[in-house]
């Protein structure tokens, strides 16, 4: 029986499905939930870090870029907290004891570390579906967690049709760049 479930969330399409499945499991087992959002440059929608040049052709441009980045990062953090608050409210309304945290760092390590400190019985998380060279270069958070978690891990996948739609979007955006 699960007593404590750690739910690793992001703002992707699979994030809502991860929450829905974790909530259903918590209702079945009367477990409490810990919702986690990891602030990471790898997450979809995170602001791009401005490139700093050694050549200062345009004085003030680097500081303007950095100020813009800071504003975007603060907005990104706020949106993450709002997502967590919304999910937490939904779970509380359903009668499930729920808390949340948002941390900055490496998603895989943070998920495993929090699972240990929270004493989680189960980690529920999504999978982006990276494979091949993309997974080799960018890594896979779900793969890392599967191999380093101190407890069981439940992976939520996107449906095949959702992946096809995502691939079509990527193909269109890549062709419009060229």
């Amino acid at each position: 029986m699960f007593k404590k479930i750690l739910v690793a969330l992001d703002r992707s399409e699979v994030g809502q499905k991860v929450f829905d499945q974790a909530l259903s499991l918590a209702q079945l087992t009367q477990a409490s939930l810990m919702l986690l959002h990891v602030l990471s440059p790898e997450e979809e929608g995170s602001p791009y870090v401005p490139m700093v040049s050694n050549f200062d052709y345009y004085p003030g441009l680097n500081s303007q870029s950095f100020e813009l980045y800071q504003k975007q990062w603060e907005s990104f953090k706020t949106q993450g907290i709002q997502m967590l608050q919304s999910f937490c409210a939904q779970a509380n309304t359903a009668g499930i004891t729920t808390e949340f945290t948002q941390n900055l760092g490496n998603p895989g390590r943070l998920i495993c570390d929090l699972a240990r400190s929270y004493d989680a019985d189960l980690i529920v998380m999504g999978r982006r579906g990276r494979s091949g060279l993309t997974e080799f270069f960018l890594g896979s958070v779900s793969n890392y967690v599967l191999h380093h978690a101190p407890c069981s891990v439940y992976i939520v996948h996107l449906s095949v049709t959702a992946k096809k739609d995502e691939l079509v979007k990527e193909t269109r955006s890549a062709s419009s760049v060229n």
Side-chain angles (χ1 to χ4, degrees), residues 128-149:
R128 288 186 186 162
R130 288 183 179 153
S131 61
L133 287 176
T134 307
E135 182 174 357
F136 178 75
F137 286 112
L138 298 177
S140 166
V141 174
S142 57
N143 188 41
Y144 180 91
V145 172
L146 281 169
H147 288 90
H148 296 91

Side-chain angles (χ1 to χ4, degrees), residues 6-175:
L6 172 61
V7 188
L9 298 160
D10 63 17
R11 290 179 295 202
S12 69
E13 180 184 347
V14 77
Q16 180 68 50
K17 292 179 183 185
V18 168
F19 173 75
D20 292 342
Q21 292 203 19
L23 182 60
S24 294
L25 280 169
Q27 288 173 317
L28 286 172
T29 62
Q30 294 302 302
S32 61
L33 296 178
M34 169 61 79
L35 308 180
L36 169 65
H37 177 242
V38 178
L39 294 168
S40 167
E42 298 168 15
E43 184 178 354
E44 192 176 297
S46 72
Y48 292 106
V49 178
M51 300 305 285
V52 179
S53 166
N54 290 337
F55 303 104
D56 205 4
Y57 294 120
Y58 303 102
L61 186 60
N62 285 340
S63 65
Q64 287 175 343
S65 296
F66 187 70
E67 286 173 20
L68 177 61
Y69 170 75
Q70 283 181 309
K71 287 178 185 173
Q72 290 172 336
W73 187 256
E74 286 304 313
S75 174
F76 183 65
K77 283 171 48 176
T78 301
Q79 290 169 7
I81 291 292
Q82 289 170 344
M83 172 193 68
L84 290 168
Q85 288 171 332
S86 172
F87 285 145
C88 191
Q90 289 175 50
N92 287 332
T93 300
I96 301 300
T97 303
T98 306
E99 53 190 312
F100 65 86
T101 184
Q102 177 169 265
N103 300 323
L104 172 66
N106 179 293
R109 282 194 204 107
L110 283 172
I111 292 166
C112 291
D113 289 348
L114 184 58
R116 274 184 208 88
S117 64
Y118 179 62
D119 199 22
D121 303 306
L122 178 69
I123 297 170
V124 179
M125 64 183 296
R127 182 174 183 276
R128 288 186 186 162
R130 288 183 179 153
S131 61
L133 287 176
T134 307
E135 182 174 357
F136 178 75
F137 286 112
L138 298 177
S140 166
V141 174
S142 57
N143 188 41
Y144 180 91
V145 172
L146 281 169
H147 288 90
H148 296 91
C151 59
S152 297
V153 180
Y154 178 73
I155 304 290
V156 177
H157 294 270
L158 277 176
S159 68
V160 174
T161 55
K163 284 183 183 178
K164 285 180 183 175
D165 292 344
E166 194 173 296
L167 182 61
V168 169
K169 287 179 196 171
E170 287 177 14
T171 305
R172 285 182 184 155
S173 64
S175 64

